[in-house]
Amino acid sequence: MANGSQETWKENLNNTMICPECKEFPPNLKEEFSCGDMVCGSCGLVLGDRIVDTRSEWRTFSNDDQGNDDPSRVGDGANPLLNGSQLQTSIAFNDGANGRSRDLHRAQNKATHDKSTKTLLAAYKELGAFCDSINIPSNVANYAKHLFKKVDDAKAFKGKSQDTIIAGCIFIACRQLGVPRTFREIFALTKVSKAEIGRIFKALEKFFDSENRKKKIMAEQAGELVNTEDDYVAKQSVDPKALCNRFCNQLGLNFRITTISQNIAERADKVGSLAGRSPLSIAAACIYTASHLMGQPKSPKEISGVAGVSDGTIRTAYKLMYPMREQLIDSEWLGEGKGDITALPAA
């Protein structure tokens, strides 16, 4: 064999990924960076996940800038709860005693002063403080801020105070996202009267419903599809079952008593033994019944401290339930000595 006429044999140590279904070579593989998957382009089989996108991160969508240089992606992401571009620079004034940067700070504030954004930030701060004080989840607080921004953008309810609108938005957000609070709890939180909360609640529901209709009419006139994801849908009154869960947690009752009290509330609604009573008194009476039934009795005074209703109201609701106890209590709860129906106090 002549030197240089044939290359020296070498083992190919490169790893090649081939689709086990198609077995094509060279393989027709596609990198789906949007979901981080390696996919076969012929049959669609996913061959790998968590693929890292090694392409350039910088992209521009501007066609009229100079040299295709678009610096608009610099800085934090825009906050949908605020107005404007939000890409502003603030001048600090911690420069000692000369006060020059303080003058610059004042001048910059006058030049970029946005009263609407300042009002929104103050309202969001107050709303967030209210929600944090009673451990309302952050998604509920954000939804309440979203509702407040809708009202502020429409310049509605000019005669109402900001605290009243905030109280109404918190009440609606809690009800919409499945963590309802009562008028009494919102009153204790915001110091807005229960009557005023009830009025602003009804007014806000009408306002959001009218906004939905306007958006639908405008979309139909423009020949566009109507996006209903952001639409406000009115909810029914507070369910006593949801209140039972929260009140039992605050009373330190176990999960079984919580479940039984919720089932009693559901059966009482079907039987109609507590028709016309408030959800608070229904939940309190159901907890009173379930706690005595399962051997962990709670007095009306203890329950009233959590539910916010008087102990006399709880006793009255319990008297209405007691004659129908056989229909409200399931026989499975009494099996194996877990519950005792004779332990229920006589009405």
Side-chain angles (χ1 to χ4, degrees):
M1 180 177 65
N3 293 334
S5 60
Q6 186 176 359
E7 295 182 0
T8 306
W9 180 85
K10 294 181 180 180
E11 182 180 2
N12 185 3
L13 299 179
N14 294 326
N15 292 326
T16 303
M17 181 181 292
I18 299 177
C19 176
E21 297 291 337
C22 303
K23 298 182 180 178
E24 295 180 347
F25 188 84
N28 181 22
L29 302 182
K30 306 293 183 182
E31 293 181 345
E32 296 289 344
F33 293 114
S34 60
C35 55
D37 293 336
M38 179 75 73
V39 183
C40 176
S42 300
C43 66
L45 182 67
V46 179
L47 304 179
D49 57 356
R50 298 186 180 180
I51 303 299
V52 177
D53 189 354
T54 57
R55 299 174 300 176
S56 175
E57 195 267 340
W58 184 271
R59 298 175 67 194
T60 178
F61 300 95
S62 178
N63 296 323
D64 55 353
D65 54 353
Q66 298 178 356
N68 290 329
D69 183 16
D70 182 13
S72 61
R73 294 181 67 245
V74 176
D76 295 335
N79 187 351
L81 296 174
L82 296 176
N83 299 318
S85 63
Q86 305 165 31
L87 295 175
Q88 300 174 354
T89 301
S90 297
I91 300 176
F93 54 88
N94 298 325
D95 60 345
N98 57 19
R100 178 175 298 175
S101 60
R102 180 178 299 177
D103 295 337
L104 291 174
H105 176 75
R106 289 177 178 174
Q108 192 244 2
N109 278 346
K110 290 180 180 179
T112 61
H113 180 68
D114 188 355
K115 187 177 180 181
S116 62
T117 301
K118 189 175 181 180
T119 304
L120 284 175
L121 287 173
Y124 293 161
K125 183 178 180 181
E126 185 177 3
L127 197 152
F130 283 148
C131 293
D132 291 341
S133 63
I134 58 174
N135 298 321
I136 291 179
S138 59
N139 63 326
V140 179
N142 291 334
Y143 187 66
K145 293 176 184 178
H146 171 68
L147 296 178
F148 183 87
K149 187 175 186 300
K150 277 188 173 182
V151 176
D152 185 76
D153 290 343
K155 306 300 180 184
F157 308 108
K158 290 186 177 180
K160 296 289 185 181
S161 67
Q162 180 174 288
D163 290 341
T164 302
I165 299 176
I166 288 176
C169 291
I170 293 175
F171 180 82
I172 291 176
C174 290
R175 177 175 287 193
Q176 288 286 316
L177 298 184
V179 286
R181 296 296 189 269
T182 62
F183 287 151
R184 185 177 285 105
E185 289 174 299
I186 302 298
F187 161 68
L189 176 67
T190 62
K191 304 307 179 185
V192 178
S193 66
K194 292 184 289 184
E196 189 64 27
I197 295 172
R199 284 192 289 267
I200 192 63
F201 165 64
K202 294 296 183 182
L204 285 172
E205 280 205 324
K206 292 181 180 178
F207 167 74
F208 294 135
D209 185 58
S210 65
E211 290 293 308
N212 291 343
R213 289 198 300 268
K214 289 179 183 177
K215 184 175 72 172
K216 184 177 180 181
I217 293 172
M218 292 177 63
E220 290 177 350
Q221 291 176 350
E224 301 175 351
L225 294 176
V226 181
N227 183 13
T228 59
E229 293 181 359
D230 194 34
D231 285 357
Y232 176 82
V233 180
K235 298 284 185 179
Q236 295 181 352
S237 61
V238 180
D239 189 359
K241 289 176 60 178
L243 297 176
C244 286
N245 189 11
R246 186 152 51 91
F247 293 161
C248 287
N249 186 26
Q250 294 175 359
L251 289 168
L253 297 173
N254 57 38
F255 178 75
R256 183 166 180 77
I257 295 179
T258 302
T259 305
I260 290 175
S261 65
Q262 290 177 326
N263 289 332
I264 292 175
E266 185 175 357
R267 293 186 176 204
D269 182 55
K270 293 179 180 178
V271 173
S273 58
L274 294 177
R277 311 295 298 187
S278 71
L280 286 173
S281 58
I282 294 173
C286 293
I287 294 172
Y288 180 73
T289 304
S291 63
H292 282 80
L293 180 68
M294 304 308 295
Q296 297 184 28
K298 294 291 182 180
S299 66
K301 189 172 183 179
E302 291 177 286
I303 300 175
S304 66
V306 171
V309 294
S310 65
D311 51 351
T313 302
I314 299 175
R315 291 191 180 93
T316 302
Y318 175 73
K319 287 180 181 179
L320 298 174
M321 292 175 58
Y322 186 76
M324 299 183 180
R325 59 189 181 279
E326 299 290 345
Q327 302 177 43
L328 300 177
I329 297 175
D330 195 336
S331 58
E332 294 182 358
W333 305 340
L334 308 177
E336 301 177 1
K338 296 179 180 177
D340 184 10
I341 196 171
T342 60
L344 293 178

